[in-house]
């Protein structure tokens, strides 16, 4: 097993990875920017190295600085965490070339899945259903118009390099498709330096259902059922839960088996998530994330399995040691993302934490790197905490979620916790009767 792992990441996820390492007896090195010198992960890690100034491109995306940090601290492996370089195939390759283990899939899988068109082609070949759309990149507005006429409006223009919901535009007719095409291209160029776009049928009322996969290097693949991540704002997840209130046991078993089989066929290694839209009893693959996900604790709460630990074990070449039949999903879990944003305007709210009381008690987990006196820097993602609650059933889970949200005190900055309090009382959420457009519509109705 590894002796030392370098974590070039920050916030709650760096802390999450440190925690798994600590329990495995692995030393940690947190590689951080100057803005994060006082971060909790830096404080708790065995060692820390500063890799650059606050802008991510100069620190968390600075490959040379990260490899140098791994070299001087004598790390065996690098865990990229979430975001930053976690889905960068070139980085994964360089890590391996420099003699370190990349804790993640093989670079070829990151590459294939990183491009949404090659990803769709790869899983389609393995037998997964995909959203009807263009068979690849769409070169011109005229091509887009022809394809849209074939698949029918509304359509969604999506960036091939997409991520974080950027470069995505809906068009309800030919007129608006001309604008959507141009806007999506501009947005994609600005966000990803790649303006390739493709077309998909826009689904009006789908749920976002994703399957957690884990594969070792000995041909063993298991899935941990689904997470329902339909509560979204601007195509970004806000609440995630498992199991989905919208699936029955047969559908769960069907899509889980298909996803695991696809991972086996492509020779995948490590943790990964296949994302689907689900509407009228049918699943449509949209993308695969070749890394740990923000919402992984939801699955951990119902499976009792530490996914980061498993990720590290399989990266080290260990066999899973269990099969699909050994995975026993129990009860219900819900995660609320606590972002440092105003709960109504969603304006970012970095700043100093003046008071802090995380919720606790039976079935409650609060993944956060916050502490009283800490200053949330303005340079990064607004996620400052994740409240994950487990109960024997969805009702108990909801009750527990409401009571934990009531206990949660994060003073000095705005967070979206008050929005979560409201959502947990909304009849549609309480009944599990929501889809990916529900939250946007709810918020729009109040404006
Ligand atoms: P990104 O990588 O930018 O997150 P995804 O392809 O994962 O993009 O899509 C993000 C979200 O956008 C989905 O969870 C869903 O809410 C919405 N979305 C994506 N494709 C479609 C579609 N064809 N129809 C309706 N909504 C979609």
């Amino acid at each position: 097993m590894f002796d030392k792992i370098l974590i070039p990441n920050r916030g709650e996820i760096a802390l999450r990875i440190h925690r798994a390492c600590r329990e495995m007896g692995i030393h940690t090195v947190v590689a951080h920017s100057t803005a994060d010198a006082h971060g909790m992960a830096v404080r708790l890690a065995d060692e820390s190295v500063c890799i650059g100034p606050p802008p991510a491109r100069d620190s968390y995306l600075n490959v040379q600085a990260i490899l140098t940090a791994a070299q001087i601290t004598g790390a065996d492996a690098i865990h990229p965490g979430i975001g930053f370089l976690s889905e960068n195939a070139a980085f994964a390759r360089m890590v391996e070339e420099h003699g370190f283990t990349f804790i993640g899939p093989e670079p070829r899988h990151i590459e294939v899945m990183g491009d949404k068109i090659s990803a769709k082609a790869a899983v389609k070949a393995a037998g997964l259903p995909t959203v009807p759309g263009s068979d690849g990149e769409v070169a011109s507005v005229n091509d887009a118009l022809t394809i849209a006429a074939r698949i029918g409006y509304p359509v969604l223009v999506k960036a091939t390099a997409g991520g974080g919901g950027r470069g995505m535009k809906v068009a309800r007719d030919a007129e608006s498709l001309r604008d959507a095409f141009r806007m999506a291209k501009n947005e994609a160029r600005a966000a990803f330096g790649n303006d390739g776009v493709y077309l998909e049928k826009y689904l009006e009322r789908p749920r976002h259902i994703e399957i957690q996969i884990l594969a070792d290097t000995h041909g063993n693949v298991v899935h941990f059922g689904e997470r329902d991540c339909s509560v979204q704002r601007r195509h970004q997840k806000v609440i995630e839960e498992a199991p989905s209130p919208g699936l029955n046991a047969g559908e769960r078993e069907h899509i889980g088996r298909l996803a695991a089989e696809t991972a086996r066929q492509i020779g995948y290694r490590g943790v990964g998530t296949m994302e689907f839209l689900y509407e009228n009893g049918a699943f449509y693959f949209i993308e695969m994330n070749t890394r740990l996900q923000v919402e992984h604790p939801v699955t951990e709460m119902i499976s009792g399995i530490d996914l980061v630990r498993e990720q590290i074990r399989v990266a080290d070449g260990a066999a899973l040691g269990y099969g699909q039949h050994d995975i026993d999903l129990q009860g219900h879990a819900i995660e609320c993302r606590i972002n440092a944003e105003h709960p109504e305007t969603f304006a970012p709210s970095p700043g100093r934490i003046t008071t802090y009381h995380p919720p606790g008690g039976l079935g409650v987990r609060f993944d956060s790197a916050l502490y009283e006196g800490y200053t949330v820097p303005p340079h990064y993602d607004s996620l400052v905490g994740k409240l994950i609650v487990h109960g024997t059933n969805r009702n108990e889970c909801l009750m527990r979620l409401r009571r934990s949200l009531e206990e949660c005190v994060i003073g000095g900055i705005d967070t979206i916790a008050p929005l979560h309090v409201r959502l947990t009382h909304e009849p549609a959420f309480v009944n599990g009767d929501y889809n990916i457009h529900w939250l946007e519509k709810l918020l729009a109705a109040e404006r």
Side-chain angles (χ1 to χ4, degrees):
M1 185 43 73
F2 307 120
D3 179 52
K4 197 185 268 189
I5 292 178
L6 183 99
I7 308 164
N9 214 307
R10 60 178 308 283
E12 66 86 21
I13 201 63
L15 184 56
R16 168 71 189 89
I17 297 161
H18 163 80
R19 283 173 170 156
C21 292
R22 193 88 190 150
E23 291 179 13
M24 297 172 83
I26 299 170
H27 295 95
T28 54
V29 185
V30 168
H32 64 90
S33 76
T34 50
D36 288 323
H38 302 288
M40 187 52 91
V42 172
R43 288 186 168 195
L44 292 181
D46 294 293
E47 293 171 62
S48 61
V49 185
C50 181
I51 48 168
R57 65 175 177 279
D58 300 323
S59 47
Y60 297 109
L61 298 174
N62 184 343
V63 174
Q64 282 313 327
I66 292 166
L67 292 175
T68 305
Q71 232 135 26
I72 59 173
T73 55
D76 318 298
I78 298 182
H79 193 313
I82 292 175
F84 300 127
L85 294 167
S86 61
E87 289 179 291
N88 185 313
F91 174 68
R93 214 164 263 134
M94 282 182 84
V95 167
E96 303 267 333
E97 279 165 11
H98 282 74
F100 308 107
T101 300
F102 179 75
I103 301 180
E106 289 175 44
R108 66 185 172 111
H109 289 129
I110 303 179
E111 215 146 50
V112 170
M113 297 303 170
D115 178 280
K116 303 218 178 183
I117 290 170
S118 56
K120 276 178 93 169
V123 303
K124 214 170 166 175
L128 279 188
T130 57
V131 189
S134 58
D135 271 329
E137 194 174 325
V138 179
S140 68
V141 181
N142 281 340
D143 288 354
L145 289 166
T146 311
I147 296 161
R150 175 168 55 80
I151 60 177
Y153 289 92
V155 296
L156 189 61
V157 187
K158 297 174 79 170
T160 59
R166 283 168 303 179
M168 226 185 269
K169 297 285 168 219
V170 186
R172 298 210 166 261
D173 49 45
E175 179 82 24
S176 65
L177 179 55
R178 291 175 193 277
D179 292 338
F181 188 82
R182 198 168 16 84
M183 281 160 66
K185 260 184 135 42
N186 287 340
E187 211 172 294
R189 193 180 309 114
F192 314 111
N194 171 352
D195 71 352
V197 295
Y198 64 107
L199 233 57
E200 265 179 11
K201 174 98 187 150
Y202 180 71
L203 301 179
E204 299 278 11
R205 263 183 298 276
R207 301 184 85 106
H208 173 116
I209 302 287
E210 56 183 39
I211 304 290
Q212 176 70 55
I213 296 293
L214 171 65
D216 66 16
T217 49
H218 307 273
N220 304 303
V221 186
V222 294
H223 71 83
F224 293 86
E226 83 282 13
R227 293 183 287 259
D228 189 322
C229 313
S230 304
V231 180
Q232 300 183 355
R233 182 178 163 268
R234 299 200 168 162
H235 306 301
Q236 296 273 52
K237 299 159 188 167
V238 175
I239 299 180
E240 301 97 345
E241 65 177 308
S244 166
L247 293 195
N248 62 40
E251 291 169 319
R252 174 166 303 123
E253 147 75 16
H254 165 72
I255 195 63
R257 196 162 17 85
L258 263 185
E261 186 46 43
T262 301
R264 187 175 296 113
Q265 273 193 41
I266 64 173
Y268 192 76
R269 158 189 99 190
V271 301
T273 300
M274 295 196 194
E275 299 192 335
F276 300 86
L277 294 178
Y278 168 84
E279 193 174 69
N280 299 330
F283 293 94
Y284 306 94
F285 171 90
I286 47 171
E287 71 161 338
M288 179 172 186
N289 288 311
T290 54
R291 54 165 168 82
L292 191 68
Q293 286 198 267
V294 171
E295 59 273 24
H296 77 277
V298 164
T299 302
E300 294 184 327
M301 297 295 265
I302 61 164
S303 67
I305 289 181
D306 180 335
L307 289 172
V308 179
R309 178 192 181 95
E310 294 307 288
Q311 193 182 20
I312 294 170
R313 281 183 58 233
V314 301
D316 189 45
L320 287 186
Y322 50 86
Q324 192 63 51
H325 289 297
D326 302 309
I327 290 167
D328 183 18
L329 305 177
Q330 294 271 359
H332 200 96
I334 303 181
E335 171 179 280
C336 292
R337 295 194 187 197
I338 314 283
N339 297 336
E341 292 168 5
H342 188 277
E344 280 155 26
T345 64
F346 300 98
S349 179
R352 189 165 179 277
I353 305 297
T354 51
T355 44
Y356 182 59
H357 177 79
L362 181 67
V364 177
R365 166 173 172 184
F366 197 68
D367 276 21
S368 174
L370 293 182
Y371 58 87
E372 206 166 291
Y374 173 70
T375 299
V376 177
H379 314 283
Y380 312 106
D381 189 276
S382 65
L383 184 79
V384 292
K386 305 187 301 206
L387 169 61
I388 312 104
V389 168
H390 182 254
T392 52
N393 55 46
R394 192 167 186 270
N395 255 340
E396 185 182 285
C397 189
L398 257 177
M399 302 294 282
R400 190 161 280 160
L401 181 59
R402 292 195 193 112
R403 99 59 199 147
S404 345
L405 282 164
E406 280 165 16
E407 281 178 25
C408 181
V409 179
I410 301 173
I413 59 167
D414 287 328
T415 77
I416 62 166
L419 172 68
H420 287 299
V421 173
R422 278 189 41 210
L423 295 182
T424 58
H425 286 95
E426 278 294 328
F429 184 75
V430 172
N431 296 328
D433 181 19
Y434 57 81
N435 60 57
I436 61 166
H437 306 302
W438 172 71
L439 177 57
E440 287 280 6
K441 282 185 184 148
L442 186 81
L443 295 172
E446 289 167 0
R447 262 181 236 127

